[in-house]
């Protein structure tokens, strides 16, 4: 079985006294071993919520998680604290958005990593830990010196590398990177992405990369999932989706990025705003902003249409994957 | 670190010197003079006045007086009290111990109790106990300390008759050895309680808000994601980061207590520097006043330097 993670009808709802916010709604996703999946979408589309929910790091008091998330034979949604503890970092590790703050400012870096190492190997000897950590530091291109330094003595890019090294401490099967390179300048970002891709070839790790920067996905992932307002619009191989986007939203998203090559075109955006996520909406969530929306789109939720291992959730396509109406070839005009 | 400590100590010494100088000037700028107090209201004999002024050195220009005083102070001689006609140094050494005993006991108790309460409230945020603690903190924080002292005296001394209301020892029944210590402790209960009750809310709120803030920091989320136990995260990572503001507040508050305890000492007739200072102010007893201010500024400077050093050992970011 090659499948590492399968998410089925996964929903995350934030609840407070006065209202519910449906942050992630009935998403379905499969990740195979060795994949690197980039989840893209605008701010507030539920990318980080999805990741945090998978890691079960959201406060249980005010969040409801439903659905299934089968991760190597265990359902992440149903695990109790003890089982969760065993899975965390051993199998499932994460690198967060703001790695600048990912370490305690008043403890030296080395001992912090030691503590993390000891969570799952409490009896590890000091030499064993040290050699493991220095190996990882070298892997992310840092000198051993970092071990005895405090976080404030490193630059943002170095701290990011430390975070990545920490996430690899126990050889996790799945690594979630939540905007892990967003705060960095493009040069450092490029270097780190290269290192990540190289690392994956040596370590057997599957990666989910959450970002709003499509170029990051293009540079470092083989699959892409486009998310909008808590739902997936399109999932598929990067080479297919970026070259030939099927969903009107993906088209809109891609046309808001400038291209390096070719004719200089005016950038177009998608008019309108994200819908209010505290109101349940009938039909396709993107319909109000979609220029090709029909009556059907406003009333009925589209089902996933499979097209050579890619999936798109749009009424423009028949279940076989062909355009239902040739005139409605997805386009995006201002 | 060594460089940092040296610099802090040097800054402390400089502070003392500046405070010393400002005090010298301010006291002499204030209206009234000690000679009139000694001579009495109705007596205005110019010969006596000149003689007294000469005796205490007030006839010399202020800058000369300052030089002489500074020179003597450096050798530990703070002059002779104009009102009591005793050596100022001896008077202060006799009284600084009770003051420090009172202040340090209260400050340490308050920081421990307040921080523990804050920790508990932060861990159980929104619980009934948190609400009670926070409410009580507001009430006690807004109470004037001397008034609280009086109320405690009314309740525990006048009505219940459980505790002595004034002094440090029972003068009618002199004790020795262990009984003496016990006697002092019994006398300390009310003044210490007053100070502690007023100080607790400060530490309570600082600890609570600081813990809540650190709990939401990204590195805590990361540590949770690693599967580290909540207890270890709290004891090692949250506390160490959350304790920093408490250290700062402890320094400020202790310095404030050393100088501000005078009112409480008056309420409880505690034989500390506070009551000595208040009489010295009223009677313009320059040498005594200067002496007390000097000792206080030294105490405050020492506390500040110590707090700075403690802070630096806890927070690597400020060891510059």
């Amino acid at each position: 079985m090659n499948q590492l993670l399968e998410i089925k009808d996964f929903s995350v709802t934030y609840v407070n006294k006065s209202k519910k916010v449906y942050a992630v709604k009935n998403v379905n996703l499969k990740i195979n071993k060795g994949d690197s999946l980039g989840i893209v979408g605008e701010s507030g589309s539920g990318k980080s919520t999805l990741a945090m929910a998978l890691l079960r790091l959201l406060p249980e008091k005010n969040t409801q998680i439903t659905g299934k998330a089968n991760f190597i034979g265990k359902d992440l949604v149903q695990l109790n604290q003890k089982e969760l503890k065993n899975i965390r970092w051993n199998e499932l590790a994460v690198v967060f958005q703001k790695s600048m703050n990912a370490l305690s400012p008043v403890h030296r870096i080395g001992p912090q990593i030691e503590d993390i190492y000891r969570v799952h190997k409490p009896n590890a000897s000091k030499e064993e830990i040290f050699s493991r950590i220095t190996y990882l530091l070298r892997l992310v291109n840092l000198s051993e010196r970092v071990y005895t330094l405090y976080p404030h003595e490193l630059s943002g890019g170095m701290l990011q590398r430390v975070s990545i090294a920490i996430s690899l401490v126990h050889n996790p099967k799945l690594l979630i990177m939540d905007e892990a390179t967003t705060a960095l300048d493009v040069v450092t970002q490029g270097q780190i992405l290269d290192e990540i891709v190289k690392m994956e070839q040596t370590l057997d790790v599957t990666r989910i990369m959450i970002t709003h920067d499509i170029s990051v996905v293009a540079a470092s992932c083989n699959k892409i999932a486009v998310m909008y307002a808590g739902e997936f619009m399109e999932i598929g191989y990067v080479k297919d989706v970026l070259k030939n986007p099927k969903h009107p939203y993906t088209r809109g998203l891609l046309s808001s990025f400038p291209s390096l090559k070719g004719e200089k075109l005016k950038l177009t955006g998608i008019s309108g705003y994200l819908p209010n996520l505290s109101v349940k909406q009938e039909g396709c969530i993107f319909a109000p902003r979609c220029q090709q929306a029909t009556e059907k789109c406003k009333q009925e939720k589209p089902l996933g249409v499979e097209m050579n291992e890619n999936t798109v959730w749009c009424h423009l396509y028949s279940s076989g994957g062909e355009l239902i109406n040739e005139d409605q070839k997805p386009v995006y005009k201002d | 670190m060594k460089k940092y400590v040296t610099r802090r100590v040097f800054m402390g010494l400089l502070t003392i010197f500046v405070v010393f100088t400002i005090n010298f000037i301010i006291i002499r700028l204030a209206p009234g003079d000690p000679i009139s107090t000694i001579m009495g209201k109705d007596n205005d004999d110019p010969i006596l006045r000149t003689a007294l002024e000469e005796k205490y050195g007030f006839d010399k220009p202020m800058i000369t007086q300052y030089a002489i005083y500074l020179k003597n102070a450096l050798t530990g001689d703070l002059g002779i009290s104009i009102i009591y006609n005793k050596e100022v140094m001896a008077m202060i050494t006799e009284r600084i111990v009770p003051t420090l005993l009172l202040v340090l006991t209260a400050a340490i108790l308050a920081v421990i109790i307040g921080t523990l309460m804050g920790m508990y409230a932060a861990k159980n945020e929104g619980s009934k106990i948190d609400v009670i603690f926070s409410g009580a903190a507001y009430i006690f924080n807004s109470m004037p300390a001397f008034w609280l002292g009086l109320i405690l005296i009314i309740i525990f001394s006048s009505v219940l008759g459980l505790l002595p209301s004034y002094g440090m020892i029972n003068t009618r029944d002199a004790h020795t050895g262990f009984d003496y210590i016990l006697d002092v402790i019994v006398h300390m209960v009310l003044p210490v309680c007053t100070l502690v009750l007023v100080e607790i809310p400060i530490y309570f709120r600082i600890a609570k808000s600081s813990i809540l803030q650190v709990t939401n920091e990204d590195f805590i989320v990361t540590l949770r994601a690693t599967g580290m136990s909540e207890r270890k995260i709290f004891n090692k990572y949250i506390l160490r980061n959350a304790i920093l503001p408490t250290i700062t507040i402890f320094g400020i508050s202790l310095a404030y207590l050393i100088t501000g305890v005078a009112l409480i000492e008056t309420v409880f007739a505690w034989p500390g520097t506070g009551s000595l200072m208040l009489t010295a102010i009223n009677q313009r007893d320059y040498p005594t006043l200067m002496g007390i201010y000097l000792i206080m500024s030294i105490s405050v400077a020492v506390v500040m330097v110590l707090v700075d050093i403690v802070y630096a050992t806890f927070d690597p970011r400020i060891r510059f």
Side-chain angles (χ1 to χ4, degrees), chain B residues 23-72:
Chain B
N23 276 339
F24 184 87
I25 299 166
I26 283 183
I27 291 172
R28 278 161 181 75
L29 283 181
D33 70 303
I35 306 297
S36 315
T37 317
I38 304 174
M39 286 171 55
K41 258 186 191 157
D42 307 326
N43 188 348
D44 198 16
D45 182 359
I47 300 168
L48 180 58
R49 178 172 277 274
T50 329
L52 280 170
E53 277 183 355
E54 212 171 300
K55 181 183 172 193
Y56 292 108
F58 293 137
D59 56 336
K60 297 190 181 75
M62 214 146 99
I63 188 81
T64 324
Q65 286 183 41
Y66 176 72
I68 293 168
Y69 186 66
L70 184 61
K71 203 187 95 207
N72 289 341

Side-chain angles (χ1 to χ4, degrees), chain B residues 183-212:
Chain B
D183 195 31
V184 173
I185 290 176
V186 170
H187 280 82
M188 266 170 78
V189 173
L190 284 184
V192 166
C193 273
T194 311
L195 291 173
V196 166
L197 283 176
V198 182
E199 290 278 303
I200 280 179
I202 304 169
Y203 296 115
F204 168 75
R205 260 187 287 156
I206 284 292
K208 185 184 159 187
S209 64
S210 167
I211 288 172
L212 286 179

